[in-house]
Amino acid sequence: MGSYLDARAQDGRWLVRIEDLDAPRAQPGAAADILATLAAFGLHSDEPVVYQQQRGHHYRQALQRLEALGHCYPCACSRRDIRQLGAATGLPPGIYPGTCRDGLPPGRRARATRLRVPERAIGFHDRVQGRQEVWLPGEFGDFILKRADGLFAYQLAVVVDDALQGITHVVRGADLLNASAAQILLHELLGSSPPTYLHLPVAADPSGAKLSKQTHARAVDPGRAVPTLCQVMGFLGQRPPPGLQTAPLQDFWRWAITHWRVERVPATRLIRQH
């Protein structure tokens, strides 16, 4: 909803992309359910919906370009290897220790492809969260571009798609705030312009876990579209009048677009819901 309002308030176009790279985990019919739910709430993409499973050739070309420029390298390490090496070296969980940076260990074969992350920080301005500085080696290490199972990684795919679709503004949850730094780096290496970012607060349960299917959060009810949308407006710091909850859907969107104010969105990254 935040991305839709921000696009409409600036006379922009709002695009829907199904990021279904992890084919083994994709549930049959899930994408159709997502699009049907969006439609029930009056949210329709201004361009044909893009499915990442159908765009592997674009990601392959980008990876080949990064390889030719010397920005990535093959890696033989498994997750178990990384956990053991991390424990031995005291690295934060999930940070790759660079075992294969200078070549594969003897007798090992490549499993994945990693980006050679430079020793630098990436700075950017977020329209809600303000100025950000992310030290790439400490936050990501040399992160994966192509997995051991042959699937392309989200970081690479989303950057390639943003560039090819001409995305100028990204509006998403604050749980992806630091990931923007890795994506800005990839834009630089691939010669594309990174978009402007706006990261909205994430709704969490009382324990602080993000509301999602994994935490068994209740699904939205398409039969209560306008009351639900009014509740979301309040969550995003907007001020819908009480009578708007009973308005027709089109009237709701007309009011919401006219009254969208980014400066009212809370800069808090996580808001607990009780």
Side-chain angles (χ1 to χ4, degrees):
M1 180 178 181
S3 61
Y4 182 86
L5 287 173
D6 200 60
R8 286 287 181 268
Q10 300 183 72
D11 295 322
R13 300 178 67 76
W14 186 71
L15 308 187
V16 174
R17 185 163 67 217
I18 301 296
E19 295 176 342
D20 54 355
L21 281 169
D22 200 342
R25 295 179 59 189
Q27 298 295 317
D33 288 345
I34 290 170
L35 296 175
T37 301
L38 290 175
F41 282 84
L43 296 160
H44 302 274
S45 180
D46 290 320
E47 294 181 8
V49 176
V50 165
Y51 295 81
Q52 287 188 328
Q53 282 191 19
Q54 302 171 1
R55 299 172 65 79
H57 60 291
H58 292 302
Y59 313 143
R60 191 172 301 107
Q61 289 175 353
L63 181 62
Q64 289 170 348
R65 182 174 180 182
L66 291 171
E67 288 173 333
L69 293 170
H71 293 310
C72 46
Y73 61 89
C75 176
C77 298
S78 65
R79 291 183 180 178
R80 181 179 178 183
D81 294 333
I82 296 168
R83 284 196 301 268
Q84 292 175 341
L85 289 166
T89 57
L91 286 172
I95 301 298
Y96 182 64
T99 308
C100 301
R101 220 175 199 255
D102 298 321
L104 296 174
R108 301 291 298 274
R109 62 180 182 83
R111 293 167 48 85
T113 303
R114 291 184 179 274
L115 185 73
R116 196 181 301 274
V117 172
E119 291 280 329
R120 58 174 283 207
I122 291 285
F124 64 98
H125 177 78
D126 183 89
R127 293 169 58 210
V128 166
Q129 307 297 334
R131 179 67 183 175
Q132 304 294 316
E133 291 280 344
V134 180
W135 179 250
L136 292 173
E139 182 68 28
F140 298 101
D142 291 348
F143 57 88
I144 286 179
L145 299 177
K146 189 176 183 182
R147 299 178 358 182
D149 57 9
L151 297 177
F152 293 98
Y154 166 78
Q155 301 284 32
L156 177 65
V158 74
V159 166
V160 171
D161 286 336
D162 283 352
L164 290 176
Q165 290 187 276
I167 300 299
T168 58
H169 292 70
V170 167
V171 181
R172 58 189 180 190
D175 54 325
L176 292 172
L177 181 63
N178 284 355
S180 300
Q183 292 163 22
I184 289 170
L185 172 63
L186 282 171
H187 275 292
E188 290 180 3
L189 298 179
L190 289 168
S192 54
S193 298
T196 298
Y197 293 101
L198 189 164
H199 286 84
L200 302 170
V202 173
D205 64 21
S207 70
K210 184 177 76 168
L211 297 184
S212 67
K213 289 181 292 184
Q214 290 181 334
T215 57
H216 308 290
R218 203 173 49 206
V220 293
D221 180 1
R224 299 186 69 256
V226 174
T228 301
L229 291 169
C230 285
Q231 184 179 2
V232 176
M233 285 286 283
F235 179 86
L236 294 177
Q238 312 303 300
R239 302 167 185 170
L244 195 63
Q245 294 199 13
T246 58
L249 187 59
Q250 287 186 340
D251 291 348
F252 165 82
W253 281 118
R254 191 176 299 113
W255 183 92
I257 293 167
T258 302
H259 292 84
W260 171 247
R261 300 291 183 272
V262 171
E263 62 271 17
R264 292 178 181 167
V265 177
T268 305
R269 296 195 191 182
L270 182 147
I271 298 177
R272 297 174 191 251
Q273 299 290 288
H274 298 279

